Amino acid sequence: MGDTGTITTPTGVFRVEDTQRLGDGILHSGLVESGLIEPGQSAKLDVDARRRRSIMRHHTTTHLLNWALRRVLGGAIDQKGSLVDSEKTRFDFAHEKALSPEEITAVEDLVNGRILDNASVSSTLLPLADAKQLPGVRAVFGEKYPDPVRVVSVGSTDPAKADDSCSIEFCGGTHLRSTGEAGSFQIVSQEAVGKGVRRITAVAGESALKTRREQSRLLAEVSAQLACKPEDVASRVEALREEVKKLQANLKKAASGDLAGAVDKILAEAISVGGTTVGTGEIPAVAPDQVRVQLDRLRQKAGSSIFLLGWREEGKVGLMAAVSDDLHPKGIEAGKMVGEIAKLVGGKGGGPKGMAQAGGKEPEKLPDALAEAKALAKRLLGA
């Protein structure tokens, strides 16, 4: 990340929002904050030192993160990319699976251990061929490096004498003078960004302090809501999860009873059209698997039959139709029928001939759709 700050001349102030290399020069991009800037003027440049220090903290801890990951996971975790700014470090590396909580802790402990050691951070210019022979040196695969190349060492002032307790990398960026200036380090997230590539996001210094403060605030808020001590939050949450499971089981039992009653009523009010039972109606909102069970029960009881059931849940409509096998040769199929009715409730659907499901987003139209379903069944049966 480029520096930010101000360029001040006798006639104006230019606010630098970014700096980037442009050929052999540096492009300062930003806005004239006051007055005007003219060619040939003497100028004073003030870098936003606090932001740059934060970038340096995250950059040095990125090197330590790379080193710690190899120590914990093995040497096959080649770097695939990174982004370092004033708020965080984001590091991509080759690895097939998510890090376990124990591995995360081990990596954090290694990095914070080196920070507490206040290990030296130094840089050395070496011929590229010599630098490539350094023990344990890390470089990004496919990256083109200048000759001579800058080698950044954490934990050793002589990269040629470094051991596996040191981080040695080719790098042209800004770094701390010693690891203690990083303050502390914390991993905040991990995710997959491609096949065999993981991404870790971490914070150091002030960003780590802010992260821990926010986590402490959230823990205090949750413990207050649960009326328990912060150290008891995990056990309290587990107890609540078990309680929710029991309540859900009881609700399922109650819903199953209500569903069976509603289905029995639909069967009782069903009509016979040329020897085929036709039944439609609204049922309580339950899991689709339970609806399928009840439709199977209806078909077994009724024989030749057409049934279409509908339910409303959270502003949506669910539909499921069942058509007995003897009607399929006549072109009467559950998938076609439920697809037609779904249009009436702002949805769509379809599926197999025997049983099919659909949905919609206009629950207020369900009664009219069920009435049309019965009329459609009658037309299909030639009545």
Side-chain angles (χ1 to χ4, degrees):
M1 303 299 292
D3 280 318
T4 59
T6 57
I7 298 175
T8 305
T9 74
T11 59
V13 177
F14 183 84
R15 171 66 58 182
V16 179
E17 297 178 342
D18 192 18
T19 53
Q20 298 292 334
R21 183 171 294 279
L22 186 65
D24 293 330
I26 301 294
L27 175 66
H28 295 65
S29 58
L31 298 169
V32 176
E33 198 170 64
S34 63
L36 55 89
I37 306 292
E38 295 181 336
Q41 290 184 308
S42 61
K44 179 185 178 185
L45 284 73
D46 290 304
V47 173
D48 184 343
R50 182 172 182 175
R51 177 176 177 272
R52 173 51 55 187
R53 281 196 300 272
S54 184
I55 293 172
M56 291 160 66
R57 289 189 186 103
H58 286 112
H59 197 171
T60 299
T61 53
T62 300
H63 283 218
L64 288 174
L65 172 61
N66 191 358
W67 163 78
L69 284 168
R70 296 199 312 277
R71 292 288 296 270
V72 173
L73 303 177
I77 56 98
D78 291 330
Q79 179 179 342
K80 296 299 183 182
S82 68
L83 181 146
V84 177
D85 60 29
S86 60
E87 299 297 323
K88 66 185 178 301
T89 175
R90 196 181 72 197
F91 188 77
D92 298 349
F93 60 101
H95 195 55
E96 291 295 333
K97 59 182 180 179
L99 275 67
S100 68
E102 292 77 16
E103 289 171 332
I104 290 287
T105 298
V107 170
E108 288 181 333
D109 285 349
L110 281 170
V111 175
N112 282 305
R114 296 306 274 152
I115 290 173
L116 290 172
D117 291 341
N118 197 26
S120 64
V121 181
S122 60
S123 62
T124 308
L125 277 176
L126 292 174
L128 183 59
D130 294 345
K132 288 181 177 180
Q133 302 305 314
L134 292 171
V137 70
R138 305 298 293 182
V140 179
F141 179 77
E143 186 81 10
K144 292 183 178 180
Y145 292 98
D147 191 1
V149 67
R150 184 168 178 258
V151 180
V152 173
S153 309
V154 182
S156 174
T157 56
D158 185 354
K161 297 180 181 179
D163 56 24
D164 62 0
S165 68
C166 303
S167 164
I168 309 293
E169 292 194 36
F170 295 171
C171 183
T174 55
H175 283 276
L176 304 172
R177 291 168 296 184
S178 60
T179 58
E181 296 177 29
S184 64
F185 171 86
Q186 182 177 355
I187 294 173
V188 295
S189 68
Q190 65 165 318
E191 59 184 315
V193 292
K195 186 177 181 181
V197 179
R198 305 291 304 177
R199 170 174 293 170
I200 280 180
T201 301
V203 289
E206 289 179 316
S207 295
L209 181 63
K210 291 177 183 177
T211 297
R212 291 192 181 93
R213 185 179 294 125
E214 178 63 12
Q215 290 174 341
S216 295
R217 185 192 68 77
L218 290 172
L219 179 59
E221 184 178 315
V222 171
S223 63
Q225 291 177 351
L226 296 177
C228 67
K229 296 178 181 179
E231 58 266 31
D232 295 332
V233 164
S235 59
R236 178 65 177 138
V237 169
E238 184 58 31
L240 288 173
R241 289 179 62 186
E242 291 300 318
E243 188 176 337
V244 168
K245 285 181 182 178
K246 292 178 182 177
L247 290 172
Q248 287 176 334
N250 291 335
L251 284 173
K252 285 182 179 179
K253 289 180 182 178
S256 295
D258 293 341
L259 175 61
V263 169
D264 286 341
K265 182 180 179 182
I266 290 170
L267 180 59
E269 296 176 352
I271 61 175
S272 178
V273 180
T276 296
T277 301
V278 175
T280 65
E282 184 170 354
I283 58 174
V286 295
D289 286 346
Q290 296 184 47
V291 181
R292 292 188 184 93
V293 170
Q294 293 298 326
L295 280 172
D296 277 334
R297 185 168 69 89
L298 286 174
R299 287 192 298 189
Q300 290 173 6
K301 283 190 174 183
S304 179
S305 59
I306 300 173
F307 288 100
L308 190 141
L309 309 180
W311 63 94
R312 310 181 219 199
E313 185 176 18
E314 297 179 355
K316 296 181 180 179
V317 178
L319 297 169
M320 196 173 295
V323 175
S324 57
D325 294 345
D326 63 298
L327 300 176
H328 300 167
K330 301 178 182 179
I332 305 175
E333 301 175 4
K336 294 179 180 178
M337 186 172 181
V338 80
E340 285 297 315
I341 301 305
K343 297 175 183 177
L344 304 178
V345 290
K348 59 183 179 180
K353 299 177 181 180
M355 191 178 299
Q357 185 177 349
K361 52 188 177 182
E362 298 176 10
E364 69 280 1
K365 296 183 179 180
L366 179 58
D368 291 339
L370 292 172
E372 174 57 26
K374 184 172 288 187
L376 173 59
K378 291 169 69 176
R379 292 196 300 271
L380 291 172
L381 292 168

